[in-house]
Amino acid sequence: MAVFILRRLMQAVLVVLAMACLVFFGVYLVGDPVWMFVSPDMNQADIAAVTASLGLDRPIWEQFARFLWSALQGDLGRSFVFGEPALKLILSRMPATLELATAALVMAIVLGIPLGLYAGLNPERAGSRTIMAGSIVGFSLPNFWVGIMLIMVFAVILGWLPSTGRGETATYFGITSSLFTLDGLRHIILPAFNLALTKIALVIRLTRAGTMEAIHQDYIKFARAKGLSQRRIVLVHLLKNIMIPIITVIGLEFGTLVAFAVVTETVFAWPGMGKLLIEAIQRLDRPVIVAYLMIIVLLFVVINLLVDICYSLLDPRVRLGEVSR
Amino acid sequence: MSTAELPGAEPAADAAVPLQPQAETPFGRFVQAYVESPLAVFAFVLLVLIVGAAIAAPWLAPQNPYDLAQVSVMDSRLPPGAVSMDGYTFWLGTDGAGRDLWSAILYGLRISLTVGALSGMAALLIGMVVGLFAAYVGGRTENVLMRVVDLQLSIPAVLIALILLAVLGKGLDKIIIALIVAQWAYYARTVRSSALVERRKEYVEAAICLGLSRGRIIFRHILPNCLAPLIVVGTVQTASAIALEATLSFLGVGLPPTEPSLGLLIANGFNYMLSGRYWIAFFPGIALLLTICAINLVGDRLRDVLNPRLAR
């Protein structure tokens, strides 16, 4: 077991290193970053001085080594636009994104599981067909356009919900979040629903498939024979057994939620790190781009690592297969 | 029945052929199976119409929205159905620059479909070659290639494309590159898994015994038998390429304003959304939606028809 985790850990480090390589050589070599600091009235000597002060006159491998070394110490450079350390900037925006992704995840579970259960228990009813058709639409709708339409309907036409920003935030237990205030909750409904849409569709399909499979199993028949109420059979016996795959998939999807938040945050002007990334790309704020990429890669690697480890704990075949290969 | 399903199963079926009473060729059988679902036929007709409209845009569109001589700023932000000063009706309204939205959508559809088709095709080719190679060679090479594929599939395509565009910058060629990189892995995995099955079959062994070259065996013998799943993945991935391009262009990191795809039209309309001028973002979105849904429905049906195991 320890060997397995160690190997996976080494692989994870390798991936992060490879990404650092790609990001460094990609972002820093496509254009010369010195031009970001140079004003038109500078002469050659000034430009050379700036180049030297940024360390850009050094051989490329030395620059890379220095980039890695400072990255390890948590220094990913300063934002050209804000003048703050890029990492700090990203971390300050991270709670907003995580809060949005969490809200979307909760929404996907709360809406997806009951709808999926209904569709799985009554597959022939018109309601179920509507739910399934809806889930197909949920998959194929372009996310950003749905966001715009949500704004149009609920903010512009009906005027029920605010369409931009995070609203009021409050701090409890050291966490600042808009989930703690009524105004903040009103602000998060639309973006979270937008982000959750594809996940709701996914959870519906998973739950329905699981239900339709489990309903014919012996333990359900036995529970029926015992004379338990339908309610108890579904909520206790059935749900417990179909939850494992659903939870696994949802856990894996958290990373994609954070990634897709880039789109939702732009539509709803949600001040998270995805919106920061888009702004950074448009302003060529390289340190911020690099910092965002490194953080998101780290996030994905950690999620994948955790899932792999959980799998190997649950299913020994995974790690045995690894050894025999 | 089992192997005769596949050969000649071309994705580009010519129009919705009416039911042929005696279809004895594999292709005829394929068409017959396809038309059993009215929804799929409808989707196919819709797709043909959309592609046709995009190709014929210069002739179909009432005005060339990017010819400044034909566009008047006086006509800007008119609601659907409004009539311009020279008596021309804007059925879908106009955008902020006074362009007829219907014409702009036709032209935008052109760019969106081109990007989707080109990147889809290139990704398919690259993924196909990698997948076939990995499956045929096996061993260490296969392991390394598939690790790369797994790694890439664990990161969402939108993120990969964003990263690349952040590095490369805007442009038609760049977004196509980004979409190819973001999608080739899906094809590689699909082809590999079906090629692995085919590889162990006797006809491949026979081909090896005949002393055929490796390339010939891979491309002439194994590949045709792996085409069915590839076609299905191809349709679905092309739809998602179109959606991805629209998303990236909407975010302002995809196409430049000189290549106004549907995503850019929507982005443009979004600026007018809060003042209640819904149509500028609404109609291009509907066009995008219809395109994606039509492709997905056709892909769904193709999967049912081409996969004998799913036969009801």
Side-chain angles (χ1 to χ4, degrees):
Chain A
M1 188 64 210
V3 176
F4 174 79
I5 292 180
L6 212 65
R7 281 177 70 155
R8 272 283 187 274
L9 210 61
M10 261 161 58
Q11 269 174 13
V13 171
L14 219 65
V15 169
V16 174
L17 214 64
M19 276 310 289
C21 250
L22 279 178
V23 168
F24 178 81
F25 288 104
V27 175
Y28 279 81
L29 288 188
V30 165
D32 191 344
V34 75
W35 298 110
M36 307 291 300
F37 296 95
V38 173
S39 59
D41 51 333
M42 278 181 166
N43 60 25
Q44 288 300 322
D46 290 337
I47 295 177
V50 172
T51 312
S53 77
L54 290 171
L56 292 171
D57 53 344
R58 299 298 174 138
I60 183 67
W61 58 266
E62 196 187 317
Q63 283 188 42
F64 182 58
R66 212 191 288 172
F67 165 77
L68 272 189
W69 182 240
S70 43
L72 277 179
Q73 292 166 325
D75 173 16
L76 290 166
R78 274 173 179 278
S79 159
F80 297 157
V81 177
F82 298 93
E84 278 181 63
L87 194 67
K88 197 180 138 210
L89 204 61
I90 302 245
L91 290 180
S92 72
R93 300 281 197 103
M94 205 180 208
T97 299
L98 292 182
E99 159 191 309
L100 187 63
T102 313
L105 204 62
V106 171
M107 245 181 214
I109 296 171
V110 169
L111 292 175
I113 290 182
L115 288 175
L117 265 181
Y118 177 84
L121 291 172
N122 320 290
E124 296 302 325
R125 272 198 216 162
S128 309
R129 288 180 197 276
T130 317
I131 291 172
M132 292 320 288
S135 82
I136 293 176
V137 175
F139 270 126
S140 48
L141 282 173
N143 219 279
F144 70 104
W145 188 71
V146 177
I148 294 176
M149 289 302 119
L150 285 175
I151 291 183
M152 183 183 103
V153 174
F154 292 101
V156 179
I157 298 179
L158 295 173
W160 288 353
L161 294 165
S163 67
T164 54
R166 215 178 152 193
E168 229 176 279
T169 57
T171 308
Y172 290 102
F173 314 113
I175 303 169
T176 304
S177 167
S178 49
L179 293 174
F180 297 140
T181 67
L182 206 62
D183 184 53
L185 279 176
R186 272 164 50 84
H187 277 82
I188 208 171
I189 292 176
L190 284 184
F193 180 70
N194 183 211
L195 191 56
L197 210 63
T198 49
K199 302 305 163 217
I200 296 174
L202 182 72
V203 173
I204 287 178
R205 309 209 123 214
L206 281 173
T207 313
R208 174 175 173 269
T211 307
M212 290 176 78
E213 204 180 300
I215 203 79
H216 299 296
Q217 304 269 329
D218 286 343
Y219 65 84
I220 297 286
K221 285 183 194 150
F222 182 67
R224 282 234 167 85
K226 261 194 341 189
L228 295 181
S229 68
Q230 171 79 359
R231 195 185 145 85
R232 195 175 158 78
I233 293 173
V234 170
L235 292 185
V236 178
H237 295 252
L238 185 88
L239 206 55
K240 225 185 219 170
N241 282 286
I242 61 172
M243 277 313 268
I244 298 164
I246 297 174
I247 293 292
T248 319
V249 173
I250 289 176
L252 268 176
E253 292 291 321
F254 190 73
T256 53
L257 275 178
V258 172
F260 269 99
V262 174
V263 180
T264 305
E265 283 172 11
T266 307
V267 174
F268 290 91
W270 188 264
M273 54 184 199
K275 190 160 181 299
L276 187 69
L277 172 73
I278 297 296
E279 287 164 3
I281 291 176
Q282 277 160 355
R283 294 170 181 166
L284 296 174
D285 196 349
R286 290 208 174 112
V288 176
I289 301 177
V290 171
Y292 177 88
L293 295 184
M294 292 316 296
I295 287 182
I296 205 90
V297 166
L298 214 59
L299 183 74
F300 268 94
V301 167
V302 169
I303 290 177
N304 284 341
L305 188 69
L306 287 179
V307 170
D308 275 353
I309 292 175
C310 288
Y311 271 156
S312 74
L313 286 175
L314 291 173
D315 186 351
R317 276 174 301 180
V318 176
R319 59 174 189 268
L320 291 178
E322 188 74 12
V323 172
S324 67
R325 196 189 280 171
Chain B
M1 172 69 191
S2 58
T3 49
E5 293 281 335
L6 305 173
E10 295 283 79
D14 319 290
V17 185
L19 267 177
Q20 292 161 341
Q22 289 287 311
E24 271 318 312
T25 61
F27 180 67
R29 233 176 291 146
F30 163 77
V31 171
Q32 235 175 30
Y34 185 91
V35 296
E36 268 173 37
S37 157
L39 183 65
V41 173
F42 171 74
F44 183 75
V45 172
L46 184 65
L47 187 60
V48 169
L49 283 179
I50 289 173
V51 173
I55 293 172
W59 298 280
L60 275 180
Q63 67 167 209
N64 179 351
Y66 304 103
D67 179 1
L68 291 177
Q70 297 181 32
V71 176
S72 161
V73 192
M74 302 295 286
D75 293 331
S76 69
R77 284 164 285 161
L78 291 176
V83 181
S84 80
M85 273 172 290
D86 42 7
Y88 167 70
T89 313
F90 297 114
W91 290 112
L92 301 184
T94 61
D95 71 0
R99 290 186 287 238
D100 172 36
L101 258 184
W102 166 240
S103 311
I105 288 173
L106 286 178
Y107 276 81
L109 210 49
R110 260 185 147 189
I111 297 166
S112 294
L113 286 178
T114 312
V115 171
L118 278 182
S119 60
M121 216 95 86
L124 186 145
L125 280 178
I126 294 172
M128 187 181 84
V129 171
V130 172
L132 280 174
F133 182 73
Y136 194 82
V137 176
R140 220 187 178 99
T141 324
E142 183 187 15
N143 264 339
V144 171
L145 281 175
M146 284 305 125
R147 259 291 135 82
V148 174
V149 168
D150 281 345
L151 186 71
Q152 215 199 302
L153 290 179
S154 69
I155 303 174
V158 68
L159 204 60
I160 293 173
L162 258 179
I163 293 173
L164 274 170
L165 287 171
V167 172
L168 295 173
K170 281 188 185 184
L172 190 64
D173 48 339
K174 282 154 194 154
I175 196 161
I176 291 179
I177 294 174
L179 289 178
I180 294 171
V181 175
Q183 301 203 306
W184 70 275
Y186 293 93
Y187 295 103
R189 171 177 275 186
T190 311
V191 173
R192 174 183 165 261
S193 61
S194 44
L196 272 184
V197 177
E198 295 300 325
R199 230 203 98 166
R200 304 215 172 84
K201 290 196 177 161
E202 277 176 0
Y203 72 90
V204 176
E205 223 168 279
I208 294 172
C209 291
L210 282 174
L212 298 182
S213 72
R214 191 188 263 193
R216 199 184 155 89
I217 295 174
I218 293 179
F219 288 104
R220 294 297 297 275
H221 294 262
I222 296 180
L223 177 59
N225 289 301
C226 302
L227 274 183
L230 198 60
I231 291 165
V232 175
V233 174
T235 49
V236 176
Q237 283 301 314
T238 304
S240 74
I242 292 172
L244 199 55
E245 179 271 316
T247 306
L248 293 166
S249 297
F250 171 78
L251 292 174
V253 296
L255 291 169
T258 49
E259 309 279 353
S261 73
L262 292 177
L264 274 175
L265 289 180
I266 297 171
N268 179 23
F270 185 44
N271 299 324
Y272 299 99
M273 181 57 79
L274 291 176
S275 55
R277 298 190 176 88
Y278 68 92
W279 59 90
I280 309 179
F282 181 73
F283 290 119
I286 292 288
L288 184 64
L289 186 65
L290 286 178
T291 311
I292 294 171
C293 280
I295 299 178
N296 277 338
L297 284 172
V298 170
D300 246 23
R301 186 67 196 152
L302 284 179
R303 179 175 50 217
D304 293 350
V305 173
L306 292 176
N307 191 345
R309 265 174 303 173
L310 283 181
R312 302 122 294 162

